Amino acid sequence: AKRWDDKQMSQLKSTKEKLTEELREAMKKSRKESELNTVESQIRGLDTRLKYSKSDKEKTLKQIAALDEELRQLENKLELIAPKCEYIEKSMMARDQLIQEMKGKMNRVEDDVFEDFCRQIGMQNIRQYEERELRSQQERAKKRLEFDNQKNRITNQLEFERMKDTKNNVLRWERAVSDDEDELERAKQAEQKQMSEIDKLMRELDKLKSERQTKKMDVDAFEEQIGKARREVGAIAKDIQAAQKLVNSIENKLEMRKGERHSILMHCKMEDIQIPMLHGNMEDISAQESSTMESSMDSSSVAAQQIYDREARITIDYSQLNASYKDFEDDEVKKYGDKLAKAISDASLTLQKIQAPNMKAMHKLEMAREKLQETNEEFENARRRAKQAKKNFEKVKKERHDKFMDCFEHVSNEIDNIYKALAKNQSAQAFLGPENPEEPYLDGINYNCVAPGKRFQPMSNLSGGEKTVAALALLFAIHSYQPAPF
């Protein structure tokens, strides 16, 4: 009994060391909080922006209130000034009416004074006569000025012609005309020659235009194929990601099943329950566990995997099991297990009644069971914490991947249009591609540009100006994802 207790205690110590190592590994994984701190800093930045926006809103509301108050004051002043304006307008209208009456009286007085004169010249009133005389005087002055200017111009031209040697000038101009005619003839011949060459070049240009249109159609077709291929690659990457998630889920379930199988085997070993096996025995389980506990000091996950791999070699003989039991579901297995546990408990009670137990051995057994229960609880708690930590890690990893892919897809979709706009040429191309499609934030991003009128070449072979335009396109595309509010 003492040897059994020592062996049990060594196994419990080994289990405790394993759980301690798993707890230490879980603490290491918890150090992934740096990424969460980054997210929190971004949240604090957004809170600061929100605070500034609220302060700007309050200032704007105060300005609007002040302007409304000023508007009300101006409306009050306008209401006070409106009667004065009406009074002034009425007085101005009265004065205009008075002026019109005075002008009418003056015109009637003038008509009475110049009535005989107007009758003699055939005018209705003196004002028409004054207007006609003023207009005729202006016309006479204008004609006199034109006549004087023409007279002076003719006089000056006559004096100039008298001073020139007309005959020599005529001979010189005749020679110049003949030379110009010869030059004109040669120019006509050269023009005909140039026209023939131009016709030839125009035909070649039309041919090149048709070839260019054909090439452009081919390029458009290739670009459409490339776009289709990119979309297909994106869809395949998403399918691969979904399949990877499904594989991870299946692996997690498989690990849980392996852990349950290991727990059952260990429980059978602890309770000295004989299990029929085709390969291996119960002692192999103990030896495997002890060897695994020694290696668990290096890595708990590697040790657990070694345990599962070794226990996988154990083949249990199910030939003695009733065929109806093989078709049980998980719930049915649990119910039947509870039923068997109850039967075992009843049998144990009957055995206690038949034979007086060794109280000291029972006490030690109870202590060992309590320790085992505590160890199992600690193990279950540690496994739940590890599972929760892994679940939180996968959640943060998914959020990180989703946020990165949202930004990356937006930038990769916008950068081509921005690069074309900066280059002012629709033949320019710019595209991004992750080196690691599954976890793109762990590796680099490939950025390639095709400058207008050039073939594809690495970014390092571009000129300085082309690199600058490519960098600006990348910068504007990144800024377009979440532009600053001010």
Side-chain angles (χ1 to χ4, degrees):
K2 185 176 180 181
R3 186 172 61 255
W4 172 255
D5 293 340
D6 294 338
K7 186 177 182 180
Q8 185 69 21
M9 289 299 294
S10 64
Q11 291 178 356
L12 292 174
K13 288 181 180 179
S14 300
T15 306
K16 180 181 178 182
E17 292 177 357
K18 177 185 174 183
L19 294 174
T20 305
E21 185 63 27
E22 289 181 357
L23 180 61
R24 191 180 295 111
E25 188 67 23
M27 292 298 292
K28 289 181 181 179
K29 291 182 179 179
S30 66
R31 296 174 184 173
K32 298 289 184 177
E33 293 180 355
S34 59
E35 297 178 358
L36 295 176
N37 293 332
T38 303
V39 175
E40 289 177 356
S41 63
Q42 293 178 357
I43 293 172
R44 287 194 296 271
L46 293 174
D47 290 337
T48 305
R49 290 183 180 178
L50 180 61
K51 182 172 67 176
Y52 289 151
S53 300
K54 288 181 178 179
S55 62
D56 291 340
K57 179 182 177 182
E58 292 176 358
K59 290 180 180 179
T60 306
L61 292 175
K62 289 180 180 179
Q63 292 177 358
I64 291 172
L67 292 173
D68 291 337
E69 183 64 25
E70 186 177 357
L71 181 61
R72 286 194 295 271
Q73 292 177 0
L74 292 175
E75 289 177 352
N76 295 331
K77 290 181 180 179
L78 182 61
E79 290 177 357
L80 295 174
I81 295 171
K84 294 181 180 180
C85 293
E86 293 177 359
Y87 176 74
I88 292 171
E89 289 178 355
K90 290 179 179 179
S91 62
M92 290 175 66
M93 291 174 64
R95 291 183 181 180
D96 290 337
Q97 187 176 2
L98 184 60
I99 291 169
Q100 294 296 330
E101 291 177 357
M102 294 297 294
K103 285 184 178 180
K105 291 180 180 180
M106 290 173 64
N107 292 331
R108 287 193 295 273
V109 172
E110 287 178 354
D111 292 339
D112 293 337
V113 172
F114 295 101
E115 182 179 0
D116 296 336
F117 179 73
C118 292
R119 191 182 303 113
Q120 291 176 2
I121 62 176
M123 294 290 177
Q124 292 182 359
N125 50 45
I126 191 63
R127 289 181 296 280
Q128 291 183 357
Y129 176 74
E130 290 176 352
E131 291 176 359
R132 188 187 68 177
E133 288 297 326
L134 178 61
R135 190 163 51 251
S136 61
Q137 288 179 4
Q138 290 177 352
E139 290 178 355
R140 285 195 296 270
K142 183 177 180 182
K143 289 182 180 180
R144 188 179 297 109
L145 180 61
E146 291 177 355
F147 179 74
D148 293 338
N149 291 333
Q150 188 175 5
K151 179 181 178 182
N152 293 329
R153 186 169 59 254
I154 293 171
T155 304
N156 293 330
Q157 186 176 2
L158 181 60
E159 290 178 357
F160 177 73
E161 292 295 335
R162 287 176 180 175
M163 293 173 64
K164 292 195 301 183
D165 189 0
T166 308
K167 186 175 180 180
N168 293 329
N169 290 333
V170 169
L171 294 174
R172 187 173 64 254
W173 285 111
E174 286 178 353
R175 287 194 298 272
V177 168
S178 62
D179 294 338
D180 291 338
E181 289 178 351
D182 296 337
E183 186 68 25
L184 179 62
E185 188 65 26
R186 289 193 297 272
K188 288 181 179 180
Q189 294 176 0
E191 182 183 5
Q192 293 178 356
K193 184 177 180 181
Q194 293 293 331
M195 288 299 294
S196 62
E197 293 180 356
I198 289 171
D199 293 336
K200 183 178 179 181
L201 293 174
M202 288 299 292
R203 289 192 295 272
E204 292 179 356
L205 180 61
D206 294 336
K207 182 178 179 181
L208 291 175
K209 284 183 178 180
S210 61
E211 292 178 356
R212 176 179 175 275
Q213 188 67 24
T214 305
K215 297 294 184 183
K216 186 177 180 181
M217 293 174 64
D218 296 338
V219 169
D220 293 337
F222 286 136
E223 287 181 352
E224 185 177 358
Q225 293 177 1
I226 291 171
K228 184 178 179 181
R230 287 179 182 173
R231 291 191 293 272
E232 291 178 354
V233 168
I236 292 170
K238 290 181 179 178
D239 294 339
I240 291 172
Q241 184 179 2
Q244 187 67 29
K245 292 180 180 178
L246 182 59
V247 169
N248 292 334
S249 177
I250 294 172
E251 288 179 354
N252 293 332
K253 292 180 179 179
L254 182 61
E255 291 295 330
M256 291 176 62
R257 295 297 184 184
K258 288 181 178 179
E260 293 176 357
R261 184 174 185 267
H262 175 70
S263 299
I264 292 171
L265 292 175
M266 287 299 299
H267 181 71
C268 292
K269 178 63 179 178
M270 296 293 293
E271 297 294 336
D272 197 14
I273 299 174
Q274 296 297 324
I275 301 175
M277 297 182 183
L278 296 176
H279 300 286
N281 51 39
M282 301 299 291
E283 296 297 329
D284 293 337
I285 297 172
S286 175
Q288 291 164 3
E289 184 183 11
S290 61
S291 62
T292 305
M293 290 304 172
E294 293 176 358
S295 64
S296 66
M297 297 301 293
D298 297 332
S299 175
S300 61
S301 61
V302 175
Q305 188 63 34
Q306 290 177 357
I307 292 173
Y308 298 154
D309 293 339
R310 291 178 183 178
E311 288 183 354
R313 302 171 190 170
I314 298 174
T315 304
I316 299 174
D317 186 8
Y318 293 102
S319 60
Q320 300 178 9
L321 186 65
N322 192 353
S324 61
Y325 297 159
K326 296 180 181 180
D327 298 330
F328 278 3
E329 298 292 335
D330 293 340
D331 295 338
E332 296 176 349
V333 170
K334 185 176 179 181
K335 292 179 180 178
Y336 192 73
D338 295 338
K339 182 178 179 181
L340 291 177
K342 184 178 180 181
I344 292 172
S345 178
D346 296 339
S348 298
L349 292 174
T350 305
L351 182 63
Q352 290 177 1
K353 293 178 181 179
I354 294 174
Q355 182 179 359
N358 187 357
M359 298 304 296
K360 188 176 179 180
M362 291 298 296
H363 179 67
K364 291 182 179 180
L365 179 61
E366 289 297 330
M367 291 178 62
R369 284 180 177 177
E370 289 177 358
K371 291 182 180 179
L372 177 61
Q373 183 66 25
E374 292 177 357
T375 305
N376 288 334
E377 289 178 356
E378 293 177 358
F379 173 72
E380 291 295 331
N381 293 331
R383 187 169 67 178
R384 283 195 295 270
R385 289 195 297 271
K387 184 178 179 181
Q388 185 64 30
K390 184 176 182 181
K391 183 179 179 182
N392 295 333
F393 175 75
E394 292 294 334
K395 181 180 179 182
V396 174
K397 181 179 178 182
K398 182 178 181 301
E399 291 178 357
R400 178 185 183 187
H401 182 271
D402 293 340
K403 290 182 179 180
F404 183 87
M405 289 306 297
D406 289 341
C407 178
F408 177 76
E409 290 177 358
H410 175 82
V411 172
S412 61
N413 292 331
E414 293 293 331
I415 193 169
D416 186 55
N417 297 328
I418 294 174
Y419 185 68
K420 289 180 179 179
L422 291 176
K424 296 182 179 180
N425 194 326
Q426 294 298 319
S427 63
Q429 295 181 4
F431 46 87
L432 298 174
E435 295 180 358
N436 187 357
E438 295 180 358
E439 296 186 21
Y441 42 79
L442 297 181
D443 295 319
I445 301 297
N446 294 323
Y447 179 29
N448 296 308
C449 295
V450 180
K454 293 186 178 181
R455 60 182 178 81
F456 175 79
Q457 53 186 345
M459 185 68 72
S460 58
N461 294 339
L462 298 178
S463 64
E466 292 170 348
K467 290 180 180 179
T468 302
V469 173
L472 287 174
L474 179 60
L475 181 63
F476 293 155
I478 294 173
H479 285 179
S480 67
Y481 174 61
Q482 287 183 348
F486 51 87

